[in-house]
Amino acid sequence: MSSTNDPIPVLPDMQALSIRSNDDLAEYAPRPDFGRQGKAIHVQANMFQVKLGEQGMSIYHYDIDIAPVGNFIKKKKKTDNDGSTNLRRDLCWKIWKQLVQEAPAGPVKQALEVAAYDQQKSFYTPVKIPLTKEKAEIPVTLNDDPNQDLERRKRFRVTIQFVRLVDMSTILDYCKGLESSAATKAMAASGKAAINTLLRQDLNERFSAKGASGTRFFGLDSASTISSGGVVLKGFMQSFLTVQAGLSAVQLDTAYGPFFRSGPLLSLLTEILERRGGGGRFSGRGGDSMASQRPPSLDVVPYDQYSKLHRLLRHAKFTVAHRKTAQTFTFKGFTTDDATTHRFIMEGRNGAPDSTTTVQQYYRSQYNIHLTKPRLPLVMYGEGKVVPIEFVMLRDFNAIPFGSITPDQTAEMIKVAAKPPPQRQAEIMGWRRTIDYSALPKLKAWGVSVEAQMMRIPARVLTPPSVSYSGGKQLRVNNGAWNVRGVKFAKAGNPLMSWSICCFDRVCTDEQIRAFFKTFIIVLQQTGCPVANVNPTIVRHEGSDVRTTLQGAAREAFFQSRKDPQLMIVIVPFKDLGFYSMVKRICTTEMKKPVVSQIMQSMKIRSDRGVDQYCGNMSMKIHAKVGGVTHQVPVPQLLDQTTMMIGADVTHPPQGVIPIPPSIAVSVAAVNGSNNQFVPAIRLQNGRQELIEDLKDMTKTHIRLFERNSKAKPQKIVMFRDGVSEGQYGQCAEIERSRILDACRELDPKYRPKITFVICAKRHNMRFFATSEQDKDRTGNLPPGTCVDSHVTHPYAFDFYLQAHAGLQGTARPTHYVVVSDENGFTADKMQNLCNSLSYSYARSARAVSIVPVAYYADIIAGKARDFIYSDDSDDGTTISGSSGAVYAHVETHKLRDRLEADPLFNHVAWYM
């Protein structure tokens, strides 16, 4: 496929896809067939076909172990189970280049010069190394600092051992779906690893590789400045994939990453602390007041900011400005004292005795430097070493930790990164030209070439479902959305009786609030959301802490109706994610009973502009929060009344916290065969554990509720699992499916529903672009319902890409659905249409969403549960702090479960909307 005008290859014989292997997904549900329904179109994928060398080309795989000689790196190394040393990637790369440079002329040097090294434990080369014994040991002295004495340079012992001969033709056989053994499938996996390593060799010299897998590369050109001392760097993602069209391909995509601005740390801290201050205008936990806090002085860093700064700068690389050195150091933290009080023993010179001195005195005597900021904490690095902040110079490519990116930075990043499809496609092609695979000597030596144009593949646009409201009224879908004006919601919820309004904006008057809610209540009633109490009590925040104000509003709702509060409206003057999280945490975990809450912005209440649309959007959320159903998308030919859908997700604690806090597992299941109302189960489990440990008990809870409402247990279970990394797809399905079956057996030994297990993945880099103007919407994106299930999909597995939604900003990302287990006999068309139709059933929106809602709900609940469990800081004694300074609430494993599930008034409505 050298151009977009090449013909579309025919679909392969399905008989060839019916095999199984030990490779990733090939052991699980095979593809039953290809989808045929929908309007046929052609698209381009960000995939570039790869041609390997002559059939039968062999690559030699060698193990390499690099060990330090001496004690200079004793504290920095880690040891694997086999006793080998695991050094930093950047250090290993330096040693490797030194090894290649010093190799003696002949076969050894020839083999190393064309080799591909993964910067860890393996290298691959098409030239055999003539080893005379099982292992070869080679000494290497690192020459990275010319000013350093030869005796003090770092020395290493490099051990090389032959592993296997890799037959690269197995990659092609795998892509073609040819019948073969598990051993040859494993051989194909080795070949894939070799090519991925090869493609990164030149890039490691030209760009900065980031991410655990080293597939994202960044440069310094065209950096965009963002707030709080950040910059957005532009780069690309590259990965070699074996795909279903009988070929292999390189996937290229644009990448954008948030990094700290390089330069003086003092300047960076000034900007960070001024912007982040005491955590924003609504700061602290429930016991704190809402008073604004002035930015801290940079002459003294407030102690309560240490943990935040530590999390931000953990592992940051820096140089020092007070002396000449090319050495790079790693940030380890801040001292609790400063340069005037931090003392250490200075070794005496020329026979003089050792003496105790302060850091301030040391710099004055040693360098004739008078510190300008002696009261600031010191930066710790190395083994017990410190340096004043004013001499620390941050290097380029220090990434801002994912969990520490501010809302402002996120918004600024989106403006930079959200490119419409034509621009994104042009940028990808620009990176393809910049990389210029044809000019890379090692690719030539391996006989590997990469096509210059994107692959052109078949796709289909699936027909949207009917969307029904009260009285069976059907609404027409246009470009993934529909107009709900003048319709009533499909099913009424509980009459809104016990509720109150809690206002945190002093400017917003009671008269303005009453006027808005008079209009809003009419909208609720017109849309089919019954309101029994049209005059809820207004409670204002008058200087007490936030928790007290919210508790007072809950009491007022109870006193007015003599029933537990159904809903609390919280009015805020502006968007503040920290305050939003605090309100949700207090209402859910710190009241006498959990209370459903809805936050509204006062600017919407005080202004007549856009009030109709705002009330309409809010009415959908309120309707779901009192137990109603906004709309329905019937799929009787795909799901019957005996089917229960489950969505599940796991979210993990912030990085770097020791001991590791718990992960949060969430499952959400339908309460009856209509599959339009759902109840969640939340569990805490071992930190960083991806598989849901308590899924058996969670499933039993779901089945019991389904049986209570439907008078029968579900005979079919369709599980949509979110948040699984690609390498764990099969393991997750196998183990979690067995836990679901264990739950069924414990409920009734004879009970055995048929289970279909589907992974829903959004963390991938597959993008599709229209080849015809008629297949674009007004944003340049493909139309909602675009589905791809061939050519760029897995050679064996039952998977497909579905862009069910309309792309509103940037380039739409399709969801990758992988059916890893299927006892219900779905065909490709049935599963694809099911996922597409369900995407229109999201309760709080009148447009299709990007992923099936039951999985979306699980993701939303997991995110909200993070606010219940994790926190930035605390002063009320209910949290514990890890060594990194990150803080999380101390919640007993079953406390959250018991609190939420024991309260049907709360947990049986969509409180998470």
Side-chain angles (χ1 to χ4, degrees), residues 287-309:
D288 298 331
S289 71
M290 293 170 49
S292 299
Q293 297 188 19
R294 298 177 61 186
S297 167
L298 259 295
D299 292 321
V300 179
V301 175
Y303 183 75
D304 63 0
Q305 298 297 311
Y306 278 31
S307 63
K308 292 181 180 179
L309 294 176

Side-chain angles (χ1 to χ4, degrees), residues 887-905:
V887 181
Y888 61 96
H890 181 70
V891 179
E892 295 178 6
T893 302
H894 298 297
K895 183 177 180 181
L896 192 62
R897 177 201 70 181
D898 294 341
R899 179 175 177 83
L900 299 186
E901 293 182 14
D903 192 330
L905 179 64

Side-chain angles (χ1 to χ4, degrees), residues 76 145 148 154 318-320 323 325-329 395:
K76 296 182 180 180
D145 190 350
Q148 198 172 46
K154 299 171 184 177
F318 67 90
T319 57
V320 293
R323 60 185 175 92
T325 178
Q327 193 170 0
T328 296
F329 307 99
R395 300 204 60 177

